[in-house]
Amino acid sequence: MNPLSIFAETLSNIAISPMLVAILFSSTFLGIVFGAMPGLTATLGVALLTTLTYGLEPETALVALLAIYVGGVYGGMYTSVLLNIPGTAAAAATALDGYPMAQRGEAGRAFGLATTSSLIGALIGMVFLALVSPLIAQAALQFTSYEYFLLALFGILISGSLTSPDLAVKGWAAGLFGIWLSTIGQDHIQMYPRFTFGMHALDSGIDVVPVLIGAFGIPQIMMVLESHLSLGGIKASMLGRILPDFRTLIKNARNIVSSALIGVGIGAVPGIGEDIAAWVSYGVARKSSKHPETFGKGAPEGIISTTVANQACIGGAIIPLLSLGIPGSPPAVMLLGALMLHNVAPGPMLLKQQPEFVPQVAAILFASAITMFVIGMILSKQVIHILRVPQSLFMPLIAVLCVIGSFALGLNTFNLYLMGIIGIISYFFTKLQFPIAPLVIGVILGPMADTALRTGLKTTDGSLLPFVTRPISLILVLVILAIVGSQIPAVNNAIRNLFSAMKRKAA
Amino acid sequence: MSSNDQNQASLDQSDKGASDASAMIGWDFIFSAIIIVFSIFVVANALTMPFSGTVGGVSTTWYESPGLLPLFVGTCLGTTGFIIFTKALKARGYDLFRHNLTKTDPRAFLLSGLGILSYIFVLVTWFDFFLASMAFLLLYIGIYYLGGDVLKRQMIIIYYATIIVGALVFLTGLNEAANAGYEFSTDFLLVLCIAAQIVALVAHARRTGASAGKKVRLVIILALVFPAFLVPTFRYFLLVPMPHEGLVVEDVFNQTYYGYLVPQKGGDETVLSDEQMNELENAF
């Protein structure tokens, strides 16, 4: 069966099943509410929904999880535009122009632009997902253990560098701590118990989902409650009539294409997500605009670039997830955890054994994007009514959901303790500006790094030469050295001096 | 806003930014020291893992050792800790840390963090999940949604007194004696806690007037309805047993569900048609 037929069949399966349509709409709506409410994120939404979808078929669960992911990234725009309070980090850049536009009484237009741009971004991301994933997976079949170890290391380092720009070392430390967490329990090769301290509950290692719920849920709950944030000022009447402004969108075709490419590209880089994609595309749109002075004052280009990029990033983030088993963004980390729970192990082998998986995921993404557009256009006012519920009423309920969610997956009280402890550690990490994304990526990629490193070395009797003799390994080693070197002032100065000397010579 | 006001606001903002940045250096100083100590622990522990010879019938070499990755991680973690530590030290990290210590107010963290931890480690572990969640929600929604210093103090005293008494009862083994007659007797401690919390909330409503009365009603209804919806959803729809089932989950929900709802359902299902009987026989 060709991919287009699988795509069409999956779409028709969704469309003719009332249950799937109900799941699609309710998950997208829930995602929008999670995204719109500051403190609740798309990642937390995916995490909590993972628990509820555990008993469902993998395809049905995927519909719910992708729908909440798409809705969550889109929903962040609501409070950004109306109150200048970004619902999610991904929507922070949208506030720069969305809020001034709303202040001018054009909130409906801003919503229309953002919703239509989000749809376009999601669809472009989906096309890239469908086209690029099989190619990367095909190339990844040539990868050996060395490449997998280096990919894991690269993922943690790049995610650490980009999520902690002030001091990348902090991001790396968080990632390394995540890898350490993943080494707890019996190792997969010799069954030797590591860091178990005689506790049998730790023998089988730590479950990923309670760690993810703790890392993404508990710090958010604590910080929102401490901040006493209120969205009481938000009113449905602020919105006006929402209309898709196609003329402005056509005028911004170039902006849309460049933002989508940025979104997909950044999404595909492990561990960094929609927020960075939105900021970078905003910067590029501003630089390439004929009227950069209008940015920050309600320029439609600003809204279009950020919303296209953060939605395109979803497709981008799923590319390495499906083709390499390496998640491209924090919600994709959670998605990977959910897929693993359903005994689906993303990676090149999955795509080789089940080539229909990519078109299926693309179709679900397509359906989620259309649902997001429909809900965005029709039900925005209802979302705003829900947003008026005070956070102090909402957050304790989320805490109870986190607790039952962590317990439900393994029916193990130890998972609750794990979630609580990781939650408190993550709270301190966040307060001390150690990013959480590399930590969870470390937890996810740690087992792969461990097995790949030892298997690779075993095949060559401990020789490290393949790291530099295999072309892909060598490239990865050089990239890793460049990432590490870029944070060492002496190396930076030396490179700068080298380049200026070369320039002088050339002159 | 005049330009002078705007300048003043931006100066205040930059002052705050600078003060936050210097406070962060102080925290980096102490946290990096913790990272270094932790990395030493990781490396020391990794070195106890087999790097050569035969352990438990499995022969190993350095490159197959289960300690290889922990050793690598511990070393890298120590290096990152050392880099952050030296940076913080050069920027007067020690002095800034001491300054931070005198200025930090941990009450917000203690309130939000300790509440969640005690809910997980004490209430959910030892008490009926429904009652545990209700007591937790009354505390959290009560103090964050309603506010008021007197109410906050009362709710915290009631909640933590219950936590302390509960922990003492279970840690000393008193629970066995208490539950000897009726197996969920200890859950009555939470019933008392919830009753006291509701009394405190009602007293708050009386103190502060009619508008608070509405809010108090909402808090109590939400704290009751949310677990009442959540427990059956997970217990009977998703088939997830609660972490601890006692006075309410076992004796009310389970008794009602399995005593009145399921037998009727089961009775209907046991009547099989001839076709179904044939299918069943063919299956074997």
Side-chain angles (χ1 to χ4, degrees):
Chain A
M1 214 175 194
N2 75 50
L4 270 179
S5 314
I6 300 167
F7 181 88
E9 191 188 318
T10 312
L11 268 185
S12 68
N13 285 346
I14 294 172
I16 59 171
S17 161
M19 192 184 84
L20 286 180
V21 171
I23 287 176
L24 192 65
F25 268 83
S26 52
S27 302
T28 311
F29 189 80
L30 195 66
I32 295 174
V33 172
F34 262 69
M37 209 163 261
L40 296 181
T41 58
T43 316
L44 186 58
V46 178
L48 293 176
L49 205 62
T50 299
T51 329
L52 291 169
T53 55
Y54 181 50
L56 300 176
E57 288 290 315
E59 290 77 18
T60 315
L62 209 53
V63 169
L65 297 171
L66 280 175
I68 201 168
Y69 185 2
V70 170
V73 172
Y74 161 73
M77 168 277 289
Y78 278 67
T79 41
S80 280
V81 171
L82 295 177
L83 296 177
N84 204 19
I85 302 169
T88 57
T94 312
L96 293 180
D97 284 291
Y99 183 64
M101 203 180 233
Q103 291 289 89
R104 287 203 307 251
E106 294 180 58
R109 187 178 172 222
F111 265 65
L113 279 173
T115 308
T116 321
S117 305
S118 294
L119 173 70
I120 296 169
L123 295 183
I124 296 176
M126 180 213 71
V127 170
F128 273 89
L129 163 72
L131 297 179
V132 178
S133 296
L135 298 179
I136 295 181
Q138 194 64 35
L141 286 172
Q142 310 300 319
F143 287 10
T144 62
S145 304
Y146 291 98
E147 281 85 16
Y148 276 108
F149 171 71
L150 290 170
L151 265 179
L153 205 59
F154 164 75
I156 290 155
L157 286 175
I158 191 80
S159 141
S161 297
L162 294 174
T163 51
S164 181
D166 291 341
L167 197 54
V169 188
K170 281 185 165 184
W172 301 346
L176 289 164
F177 181 72
I179 301 185
W180 174 78
L181 280 175
S182 77
T183 64
I184 294 174
Q186 288 181 332
D187 83 279
H188 298 300
I189 296 177
Q190 296 182 359
M191 296 296 150
Y192 185 87
R194 301 184 291 196
F195 306 104
T196 55
F197 315 108
M199 292 163 71
H200 293 302
L202 287 174
D203 278 347
S204 56
I206 54 170
D207 281 342
V208 171
V209 174
V211 171
L212 297 182
I213 293 179
F216 288 121
I218 301 296
Q220 294 285 2
I221 293 164
M222 288 169 65
M223 284 189 285
V224 170
L225 288 175
E226 285 170 21
S227 69
H228 297 281
L229 184 68
S230 165
L231 301 179
I234 198 166
K235 287 186 185 93
S237 57
M238 292 159 93
L239 207 54
R241 200 163 164 218
I242 303 169
L243 287 171
D245 184 354
F246 290 116
R247 192 175 293 172
T248 310
L249 287 166
I250 292 165
K251 269 188 197 165
N252 275 276
R254 229 182 95 201
N255 181 12
I256 288 172
V257 172
S258 66
S259 301
L261 291 177
I262 290 167
V264 171
I266 288 179
V269 177
I272 56 168
E274 294 76 17
D275 47 344
I276 294 175
W279 282 113
V280 173
S281 69
Y282 185 81
V284 171
R286 187 178 178 167
K287 257 189 185 167
S288 57
S289 169
K290 284 177 190 161
H291 305 286
E293 72 284 355
T294 59
F295 276 68
K297 293 169 188 162
E301 294 96 319
I303 297 174
I304 293 168
S305 64
T306 52
T307 46
V308 165
N310 64 25
Q311 281 291 334
C313 191
I314 298 174
I318 300 175
I319 293 172
L321 171 71
L322 294 186
S323 54
L324 300 170
I326 297 173
S329 69
V333 174
M334 202 52 243
L335 208 57
L336 177 61
L339 287 172
M340 283 154 72
L341 275 176
H342 285 280
N343 289 324
V344 178
M349 285 315 287
L350 174 77
L351 299 197
K352 192 182 177 192
Q353 288 158 357
Q354 294 179 45
E356 71 280 5
F357 197 65
V358 170
Q360 280 173 351
V361 171
I364 296 171
L365 205 55
F366 180 84
S368 306
I370 299 290
T371 313
M372 170 205 74
F373 181 75
V374 172
I375 293 179
M377 284 293 170
I378 299 170
L379 298 177
S380 288
K381 288 185 179 168
Q382 280 67 26
V383 174
I384 289 170
H385 285 307
I386 294 173
L387 292 180
R388 288 175 61 80
V389 176
Q391 302 252 8
S392 46
L393 277 178
F394 216 73
M395 282 298 175
L397 308 183
I398 300 291
V400 176
L401 277 177
C402 285
V403 165
I404 192 67
S406 301
F407 176 78
L409 294 171
L411 302 183
N412 187 353
T413 317
F414 184 77
N415 281 348
L416 288 182
Y417 305 151
L418 183 68
M419 188 270 291
I421 292 166
I422 295 292
I424 297 297
I425 292 173
S426 302
Y427 170 84
F428 282 111
F429 267 51
T430 312
K431 284 271 176 186
L432 299 172
Q433 294 175 2
F434 281 75
I436 297 298
L439 187 153
V440 293
I441 294 219
V443 174
I444 291 271
L445 298 185
M448 181 174 104
D450 187 25
T451 312
L453 175 66
R454 289 157 67 194
T455 314
L457 287 172
K458 193 180 174 185
T459 54
T460 53
D461 285 334
S463 168
L464 297 170
L465 270 181
F467 278 120
V468 287
T469 52
R470 291 184 56 82
I472 301 171
S473 281
L474 181 64
I475 292 169
L476 285 168
V477 167
L478 291 175
V479 171
I480 287 169
L481 287 177
I483 294 170
V484 175
S486 69
Q487 300 301 321
I488 302 170
V491 175
N492 266 338
N493 288 338
I495 292 170
R496 208 169 294 145
N497 291 341
L498 185 76
F499 271 104
S500 48
M502 279 164 69
K503 251 187 191 172
R504 272 200 302 273
K505 224 175 183 181
Chain B
M1 198 189 263
S2 72
S3 75
N4 277 347
D5 288 345
Q6 276 180 345
N7 286 342
Q8 189 56 45
S10 76
L11 276 176
D12 289 348
Q13 194 76 17
S14 66
D15 280 354
K16 193 184 173 300
S19 122
D20 286 350
S22 62
M24 194 50 67
I25 293 167
W27 292 124
D28 279 352
F29 172 80
I30 189 66
F31 199 63
S32 57
I34 294 170
I35 291 176
I36 292 169
V37 172
F38 178 71
S39 68
I40 292 169
F41 154 78
V42 173
V43 170
N45 207 302
L47 288 174
T48 65
M49 295 173 193
F51 275 85
S52 61
T54 304
V55 178
V58 182
S59 61
T60 189
T61 48
W62 69 267
Y63 51 81
E64 286 178 274
S65 168
L68 185 62
L69 189 71
L71 190 64
F72 174 75
V73 168
T75 313
C76 293
L77 203 55
T79 312
T80 56
F82 182 73
I83 293 169
I84 302 169
F85 184 79
T86 46
K87 273 198 169 200
L89 197 64
K90 277 181 195 164
R92 298 191 307 113
Y94 178 65
D95 296 333
L96 290 167
F97 167 63
R98 285 182 55 181
H99 178 72
N100 285 350
L101 271 187
T102 56
K103 284 203 150 185
T104 304
D105 181 4
R107 276 181 299 183
F109 162 72
L110 288 177
L111 196 57
S112 58
L114 215 59
I116 292 177
L117 285 182
S118 57
Y119 171 56
I120 293 169
F121 283 87
V122 179
L123 296 188
V124 174
T125 304
W126 286 320
F127 294 96
D128 179 79
F129 183 76
F130 179 93
L131 293 171
S133 301
M134 193 173 168
F136 170 77
L137 289 175
L138 282 172
L139 171 83
Y140 258 54
I141 304 177
I143 58 176
Y144 285 110
Y145 177 59
L146 297 174
D149 287 340
V150 178
L151 175 72
K152 205 185 241 182
R153 204 166 42 244
Q154 286 174 341
M155 295 295 274
I156 289 170
I157 289 170
I158 296 166
Y159 181 81
Y160 285 106
T162 311
I163 294 286
I164 291 166
V165 173
L168 283 175
V169 166
F170 280 89
L171 291 175
T172 55
L174 272 175
N175 59 312
E176 284 174 21
N179 290 338
Y182 171 63
E183 59 178 327
F184 306 127
S185 302
T186 41
D187 285 340
F188 284 105
L189 184 63
L190 276 193
V191 175
L192 278 178
C193 168
I194 290 166
Q197 283 175 319
I198 291 173
V199 169
L201 286 169
V202 172
H204 169 79
R206 288 202 177 146
R207 264 198 313 273
T208 38
S211 64
K214 253 187 187 172
K215 282 183 159 186
V216 163
R217 251 198 318 275
L218 180 66
V219 172
I220 295 170
I221 290 170
L222 204 58
L224 180 75
V225 168
F226 187 70
F229 168 75
L230 193 71
V231 170
T233 305
F234 272 82
R235 187 71 181 82
Y236 312 118
F237 176 64
L238 296 172
L239 303 178
V240 173
M242 295 296 107
H244 196 279
E245 302 187 348
L247 189 63
V248 177
V249 179
E250 177 57 39
D251 273 3
V252 178
F253 285 114
N254 285 351
Q255 293 292 336
T256 311
Y257 185 77
Y258 294 113
Y260 299 101
L261 302 174
V262 167
Q264 290 168 9
K265 213 173 153 188
D268 293 341
E269 279 173 359
T270 49
V271 181
L272 296 176
S273 66
D274 291 343
E275 200 180 331
Q276 284 172 322
M277 282 302 287
N278 281 337
E279 273 179 21
L280 196 62
E281 276 172 22
N282 290 339
F284 297 100

